[in-house]
Amino acid sequence: MSIILGCIADDLTGATDLAMILVREGMKTVQVVGEPNTDTPAPDAEAVVVALKSRTNDAQEAISMTINSCKWLQSLGAKQIFFKYCSTFDSTDKGNIGPVTDALMSHLECSSTIACPAFPENKRTVYQGYLFVNDGLLSESSLRNHPLTPMKDANLKRILSSQSSATISNLYFEQIEMGHEVISQAIAEKETGPRTIHITDALNDNHLRSIGKACKDMKLVTGGSAVAQGLPLNFEEQGFLSSRKEEQPFSTPKGPSVILSGSCSEATRGQVNYAQNHIPSYCLDAVAILKNEAVAEEAVQWATDYITAGTPVLLYSSADPSVVKQIQNNQNQVDVGSRVEAVIGKIAQKLHALGASRFVVAGGETSGAVINALNVKTMSIGPQIDPGVPWTTTIVDKKPIALALKSGNFGTEDFFIKALNQLKQYDIS
């Protein structure tokens, strides 16, 4: 089956978020985990989302992974490429959003694209070129303390100009508000060189749909997942997508539930605190992990009786940013994160072997570690738990499991408990 839309996400939770939106908008969508190769089977889908782990990689490595994924999607017939990054524009002064966008534009031989991280449903908006989170500037949010990609500037043009060799322009609220025809005209008028990236204001979903409609003829679109909601209608109007489809039926096997949290975000820490009052919980000591102590083995031993009894459990390494910073002062921060993630991945693997079949995972890097440990290759998208976070299903060791992969900053305070309760209506024997 020839696909229509090819998507590349720079982390796993973002890929799942994007796939959920495309499913909701009527496209048959499959998520592929990791960089595909010539042996990766072609999914039976209209849209394919490739989930990479490239956000904090070396820029050249991220570019290589992305371009290889793009070539694979093109080989399946993709008529448009979507590069998805976080709605909080998570990156460093060197990238990887700018370098990857430049490389995609060069590969696809396109002179212009957009950059639209806005996700109004999750309180991420762009106004006058500034990114707002929960009604405050990005630089004043908890993201300023992110251990790997601290976002200390809310001016998207300034951020992207430091990363990209393209000309960076702004399309402001007044133009966006006037609809897709004005947006298209403004894009054409602002192209001043071989490559131009247009940062678009967006305060609501109507703006995003107008922006998406204006991108009808673009070879490349970049942004957060929410702007993709405007793309399926373009394909329908062009005759590539016959009609909108109902969401696919969803069911999940019964079995023990496990919540694994490695995110240190403010939102996730609140969710951990809430869940601790409802289910048994176990704290994974980052210092002990760095000392190579048997943290995974001890955690699994603690959880075994609960898993056997079918009782949900929470295992978390989430800590206050000040604690994380203190640990990182004595260790390489990437090494600290990767070692904690490896332990959580090992725990997931061992608990699955004990019978756990439902996993809620918090944190993009943590989700990647769990998916790799369980050797997940593709995922089917299910119902939304909170904006940007759906349940998914996959097959591990020939048995179905359910996965909810949450970006650190997404979800309400009761997210973990709500996610587990939601599955009761989808139980199968």
Side-chain angles (χ1 to χ4, degrees):
M1 180 177 181
S2 178
I3 69 170
I4 301 168
L5 178 63
C7 306
I8 305 163
D10 66 358
D11 84 330
L12 185 64
T13 56
T16 307
D17 170 14
L18 172 58
M20 180 190 69
I21 286 176
L22 293 173
V23 168
R24 189 175 69 191
E25 293 298 320
M27 295 191 80
K28 184 177 182 181
T29 306
V30 171
Q31 182 171 328
V32 174
V33 179
E35 182 182 343
N37 54 47
T38 53
D39 296 327
T40 304
D44 178 16
E46 295 163 331
V48 174
V49 182
V50 176
L52 300 179
K53 190 174 183 291
S54 60
R55 180 171 297 170
T56 56
N57 291 29
D58 173 79
Q60 289 305 312
E61 183 181 12
I63 288 170
S64 175
M65 296 167 68
T66 304
I67 296 301
N68 288 340
S69 300
C70 182
K71 290 178 179 178
W72 181 75
L73 292 166
Q74 287 178 292
S75 75
L76 300 182
K79 296 171 175 35
Q80 188 173 61
I81 299 296
F82 187 98
F83 171 42
K84 192 274 176 195
Y85 38 78
C86 189
S87 59
T88 49
F89 219 68
D90 292 10
S91 56
T92 67
D93 290 340
K94 296 181 179 179
N96 288 335
I97 294 174
V100 169
T101 301
D102 286 355
L104 283 169
M105 294 183 77
S106 178
H107 172 71
L108 295 169
E109 298 181 339
C110 59
S111 60
S112 69
T113 187
I114 65 161
C116 184
F119 193 160
E121 191 177 8
N122 249 338
K123 297 184 178 180
R124 278 87 163 135
T125 55
V126 181
Y127 180 69
Q128 298 297 302
Y130 286 83
L131 181 54
F132 289 80
V133 176
N134 296 325
D135 301 322
L137 287 169
L138 170 67
S139 52
E140 297 173 358
S141 74
S142 61
L143 275 298
R144 69 186 183 279
N145 296 317
H146 193 288
L148 297 179
T149 54
M151 302 307 296
K152 299 182 182 297
D153 191 353
N155 186 304
L156 294 178
K157 184 174 184 178
R158 197 155 49 219
I159 296 172
L160 203 50
S161 294
S162 71
Q163 300 178 7
S164 170
S165 61
T167 299
I168 313 299
S169 83
N170 284 101
L171 298 181
Y172 292 122
F173 165 81
E174 293 80 6
Q175 295 165 304
I176 303 300
E177 182 77 2
M178 295 177 71
H180 72 275
E181 292 181 348
V182 171
I183 298 170
S184 296
Q185 182 179 350
I187 287 173
E189 291 175 349
K190 285 176 175 282
E191 290 184 21
T192 58
R195 289 200 300 266
T196 305
I197 302 174
H198 307 276
I199 295 170
T200 62
D201 283 5
L203 300 181
N204 54 55
D205 282 353
N206 287 335
H207 290 162
L208 294 177
R209 290 184 182 279
S210 293
I211 293 166
K213 191 170 182 60
C215 294
K216 180 179 69 173
D217 297 321
M218 282 187 173
K219 296 179 182 179
L220 173 69
V221 180
T222 88
S225 58
V227 74
Q229 65 188 295
L231 302 181
L233 183 59
N234 289 339
F235 300 128
E236 185 177 337
E237 291 178 347
Q238 294 173 82
F240 297 128
L241 189 62
S242 57
S243 62
R244 300 301 180 96
K245 300 172 180 61
E246 297 295 327
E247 290 188 15
Q248 297 297 309
F250 179 80
S251 61
T252 182
K254 293 181 179 179
S257 300
V258 176
I259 300 168
L260 297 167
S261 176
S263 169
C264 298
S265 75
E266 184 177 335
T268 296
R269 286 186 285 117
Q271 291 156 359
V272 166
N273 291 338
Y274 182 93
Q276 286 176 315
N277 295 320
H278 294 80
I279 60 176
S281 61
Y282 185 94
C283 181
L284 304 168
D285 188 343
V287 175
I289 291 172
L290 294 173
K291 290 180 179 178
N292 294 314
E293 296 178 11
V295 175
E297 291 74 11
E298 293 171 1
V300 171
Q301 184 178 8
W302 170 84
T304 297
D305 288 344
Y306 293 113
I307 296 297
T308 302
T311 302
V313 293
L314 162 67
L315 299 99
Y316 66 97
S317 67
S318 308
D320 186 275
S322 62
V323 177
V324 175
K325 188 172 183 178
Q326 184 176 2
I327 295 171
Q328 290 175 341
N329 285 338
N330 301 314
Q331 299 280 340
N332 178 283
Q333 63 181 17
V334 175
D335 184 53
V336 172
S338 62
R339 289 171 70 176
V340 171
E341 291 153 18
V343 166
I344 294 178
K346 187 175 181 180
I347 292 169
Q349 196 174 47
K350 289 180 177 293
L351 294 184
H352 176 255
L354 289 174
S357 62
R358 300 172 172 187
F359 292 87
V360 182
V361 189
E365 303 296 324
T366 307
S367 295
V370 170
I371 288 298
N372 288 336
L374 295 177
N375 197 30
V376 172
K377 299 299 183 185
T378 62
M379 300 161 64
S380 298
I381 309 301
Q384 174 176 288
I385 306 166
D386 269 340
V389 194
W391 274 107
T392 72
T393 55
T394 189
I395 302 296
V396 175
D397 296 333
K398 299 182 180 180
K399 296 179 181 178
I401 67 169
L403 290 159
L405 308 174
K406 184 190 83 71
S407 174
N409 292 291
F410 281 12
T412 55
E413 184 182 48
D414 63 343
F415 175 84
F416 292 143
I417 304 305
K418 177 166 54 179
L420 298 184
N421 289 337
Q422 185 177 10
L423 284 190
K424 294 175 182 178
Q425 62 184 299
Y426 299 108
D427 284 343
I428 59 173
S429 301

